[in-house]
């Protein structure tokens, strides 16, 4: 990684501002999925071991610059306190006298969580004054919030103008795993792309086209590709204004010799709802008043056959409307297949909010090589964009080998 990491930071006696991603689901004042809280712990522990005082900061939900009680971070702090077995107080506000007092009392080995940053509209506006105030709380800055690294906000970008900025361990791992896909994936490299729409994923398809050996497309977005190949898709989700883009991508795959698999059969339903009448049809015979809700068994077999030789596999986007269990066979089957492949040593990276949720429902997250925590951020990264929250961190200076050292090394080896 060409950015400095928290391991490069001498944290002894310093106050360190750590931007985390605690945007977690909360119901009745309790965190219902604490995976993001757990994921932040390695960086926190490292800093505590190195003698730092930690100021944690995150957003939660979309309060849009207003104080909304249901978006307070207290439940998260309670969860974190339980996990760390030490008290993590939360300030009443990210700004103000109370916060300043708490900061003045903060000692090495202690933690303080700032209240939801997005209670201030200045956060999302990347307001320099707000960023400077936040920076004033600390001696160094660590970004461990990959999920917001694609946003230039005060706590992800603005603050780095005023503090030395390092990558947290979680962010570092995301950068390393996703860069590996773009820079030197072990071949063959295959990408499985599903989800609702083509529109959000054209740029990813194009950027990966330069790199993959095989593309597998399923989910709602496959419909637009089927139409591009002159099939009809009944009442299915379709982006008519993207058919031309789909044609261009298919042509590109042809030119580059990239295998491009679409579903050869589908589960179609009368309605896209639980309990709706449904049946299996070949992709070229999708009936007029039905909707594609999942890939069919022949497609699933064809996909697995095409993936069999792959040494690296990236998966984003469910292959069907998996929220309805009857329409989730394709998605669940892919999750199980990829878990098996990862177990056998292939590199399997899963990214995207819904695909990750599907993998987690099946309790297969641990099996995968890497589960990307950032939905939008991982896609933007794979589109080939430099994410502002990453670009803002300190660069690692390339380590030059001085000529004198080189000569001495040679001389020594001769003598030996
Ligand atoms: P991710 O979050 O993994 O990137 P997306 O957000 O792109 O995935 O897409 C997820 C959504 O796609 C799910 O809500 C799923 O129901 C929907 N989807 C998958 N297949 C279909 C389909 N055939 N028709 C309509 N929606 C679909
Ligand atoms: Mg999604």
């Amino acid at each position: 990684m060409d950015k400095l990491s928290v391991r490069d930071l001498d944290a002894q006696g310093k106050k360190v501002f750590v931007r985390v991603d605690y945007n977690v689901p909360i119901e009745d004042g309790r965190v219902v999925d604490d995976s993001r809280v757990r994921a932040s712990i390695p960086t926190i522990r490292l800093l505590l071991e190195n003698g730092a005082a930690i100021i944690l900061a995150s957003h939660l939900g979309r309060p849009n610059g207003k104080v909304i009680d249901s978006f307070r971070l207290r439940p998260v702090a309670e969860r974190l306190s339980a996990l760390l077995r030490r008290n993590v107080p939360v300030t009443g506000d990210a700004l103000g006298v109370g916060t300043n007092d708490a900061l003045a009392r903060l000692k090495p080995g202690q933690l303080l969580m700032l209240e939801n940053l997005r209670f201030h509209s200045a956060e999302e506006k990347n307001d320099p004054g707000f960023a400077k105030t936040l920076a004033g709380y600390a001696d160094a800055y660590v970004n461990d919030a990959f999920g917001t690294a694609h946003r230039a906000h005060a706590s992800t970008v603005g603050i780095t103008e005023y503090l030395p900025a390092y990558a947290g361990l979680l962010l570092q791992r995301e950068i390393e795993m996703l860069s590996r896909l773009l820079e030197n994936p072990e071949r063959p490299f295959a990408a499985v792309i599903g989800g609702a729409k083509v529109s959000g994923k054209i740029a990813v398809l194009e950027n990966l086209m330069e790199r993959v050996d095989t593309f597998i497309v399923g989910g709602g977005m496959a419909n637009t590709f089927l139409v591009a190949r002159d099939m009809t898709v009944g009442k299915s989700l379709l982006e008519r204004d993207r058919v031309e883009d789909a044609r261009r991508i298919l042509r590109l795959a042809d030119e580059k010799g990239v295998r491009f698999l679409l579903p050869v059969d589908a589960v179609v339903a009368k309605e896209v709802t639980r309990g709706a009448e449904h049946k299996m049809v070949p992709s070229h015979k999708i009936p007029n008043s039905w909707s594609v809700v999942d890939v069919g068994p022949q497609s699933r077999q064809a996909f697995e056959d095409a993936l069999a030789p792959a040494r690296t596999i990236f998966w984003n986007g469910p292959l069907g409307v998996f929220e309805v269990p009857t329409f989730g066979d394709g998605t669940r089957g892919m999750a199980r297949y990829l878990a098996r492949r990862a177990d056998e040593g292939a590199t399997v990276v899963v990214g995207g909010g819904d695909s990750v949720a599907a993998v987690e429902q099946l309790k297969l997250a641990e099996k995968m090589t890497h589960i990307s925590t950032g939905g939008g951020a991982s896609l933007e990264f794979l589109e080939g964009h430099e994410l502002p929250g990453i670009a803002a961190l300190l660069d690692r200076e390339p380590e030059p080998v001085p000529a004198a050292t080189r000569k001495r090394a040679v001389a020594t080896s001769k003598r030996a």
Side-chain angles (χ1 to χ4, degrees):
M1 190 182 64
D2 59 356
K3 294 293 177 182
L4 289 184
S5 109
V6 60
R7 289 189 199 283
D8 302 302
L9 164 65
D10 175 12
Q12 181 62 46
K14 292 201 176 115
K15 284 183 178 159
V16 182
F17 186 108
V18 186
R19 176 55 160 103
V20 283
D21 181 359
Y22 287 161
N23 186 28
V24 299
I26 292 177
E27 280 167 24
D28 302 324
R30 280 183 172 277
V31 174
V32 287
D33 176 358
D34 69 354
S35 38
R36 286 183 171 177
V37 183
R38 286 174 184 279
S40 73
I41 287 179
T43 294
I44 293 175
R45 281 209 196 287
L46 178 72
L47 283 169
L48 290 175
E49 279 163 20
N50 291 347
I54 300 181
I55 301 150
L56 294 165
S58 178
H59 71 284
L60 173 62
R62 297 177 182 275
N64 293 323
K66 288 195 274 299
V67 176
I68 296 176
D69 280 334
S70 58
F71 290 137
R72 286 197 179 274
L73 280 165
R74 168 179 283 283
V76 179
E78 281 170 358
R79 189 72 203 111
L80 182 64
S81 299
L83 289 167
L84 289 174
R85 293 199 194 85
R86 49 175 107 199
N87 185 30
V88 184
V90 197
T91 62
D93 184 354
L95 303 179
V97 203
T99 298
N100 288 330
D101 285 350
L103 284 162
R105 286 195 304 270
L106 191 65
K107 304 240 163 27
Q110 296 182 337
L111 297 115
L112 179 68
M113 193 181 293
L114 302 181
E115 184 54 281
N116 195 342
L117 296 169
R118 290 195 189 165
F119 285 175
H120 295 273
S121 59
E123 161 64 2
E124 288 182 84
K125 286 186 193 140
N126 194 12
D127 177 81
F130 186 63
K132 197 171 178 182
T133 304
L134 296 180
Y137 297 168
D139 306 303
Y141 168 81
V142 171
N143 189 346
D144 216 12
F146 181 68
T148 36
H150 59 317
R151 305 274 180 240
H153 292 167
S155 70
T156 59
V157 171
I159 192 169
T160 66
E161 293 285 324
Y162 308 101
L163 287 177
Y166 301 82
L169 299 177
L170 190 61
L171 186 78
Q172 184 183 355
R173 179 159 165 80
E174 290 278 7
I175 297 173
E176 281 167 3
M177 290 309 302
L178 297 176
S179 320
R180 199 197 290 180
L181 295 182
L182 295 183
E183 283 158 21
N184 52 351
E186 193 186 344
R187 299 197 169 276
F189 175 21
V192 181
I193 311 283
K197 293 182 171 181
V198 190
S199 43
K201 301 193 179 169
I202 289 174
V204 174
L205 286 165
E206 283 186 324
N207 197 38
L208 289 180
M209 187 67 79
E210 306 292 323
R211 294 162 170 87
V212 298
D213 303 288
T214 304
F215 258 127
I216 288 172
V217 171
M221 64 181 281
N223 301 330
T224 304
F225 282 96
L226 292 175
V227 170
R229 279 195 178 154
D230 298 324
M231 288 173 245
T232 56
V233 295
K235 278 201 309 181
S236 305
L237 180 70
L238 168 69
E239 291 169 282
R240 240 176 236 298
D241 56 338
R242 295 296 178 177
V243 173
E244 209 32 65
D245 284 314
R247 277 208 189 97
R248 183 167 47 82
I249 286 167
L250 289 170
R251 262 200 313 272
L252 212 59
D254 258 356
E255 283 163 23
K256 305 217 173 269
V258 171
R259 257 186 101 186
F260 201 102
L261 272 76
L262 288 171
V264 291
D265 60 351
V267 179
V268 293
K270 280 267 181 174
E271 301 294 334
V272 188
T273 49
R274 191 182 282 261
E277 189 187 340
H278 58 95
K279 61 183 180 183
M280 226 70 83
V281 296
S283 293
H284 61 273
K285 284 189 180 159
I286 295 166
N288 272 331
S289 54
W290 296 63
S291 300
V292 172
V293 290
D294 198 2
V295 295
Q298 287 183 38
S299 309
R300 291 170 52 191
Q301 189 58 55
F303 291 172
E304 291 187 13
D305 291 346
L307 290 171
R311 296 301 304 154
T312 306
I313 304 170
F314 171 67
W315 181 26
N316 165 276
L319 300 185
V321 185
F322 76 106
E323 296 91 338
V324 178
T326 328
F327 308 149
D329 286 346
T331 303
R332 288 190 295 264
M334 182 58 71
R336 289 197 188 97
Y337 174 76
L338 293 183
R340 202 158 67 235
R341 293 299 310 283
D343 226 21
E344 293 162 4
T347 298
V348 179
V349 178
V350 185
D354 294 287
S355 8
V356 169
V359 170
E360 279 171 352
Q361 268 172 27
L362 294 169
K363 307 220 180 310
L364 293 174
E366 302 290 308
K367 298 254 180 207
M368 307 297 180
T369 318
H370 180 65
I371 294 274
S372 183
T373 50
S378 32
L379 286 187
E380 280 197 31
F381 193 104
L382 292 176
E383 284 172 12
H385 299 308
E386 187 170 43
L387 308 186
I390 295 174
L393 304 175
L394 290 174
D395 288 319
R396 182 179 298 285
E397 297 295 330
E399 283 169 42
V401 183
T405 320
R406 257 196 324 254
K407 250 188 227 149
R408 216 179 315 130
V410 172
T412 316
S413 68
K414 261 187 193 159
R415 238 181 291 136

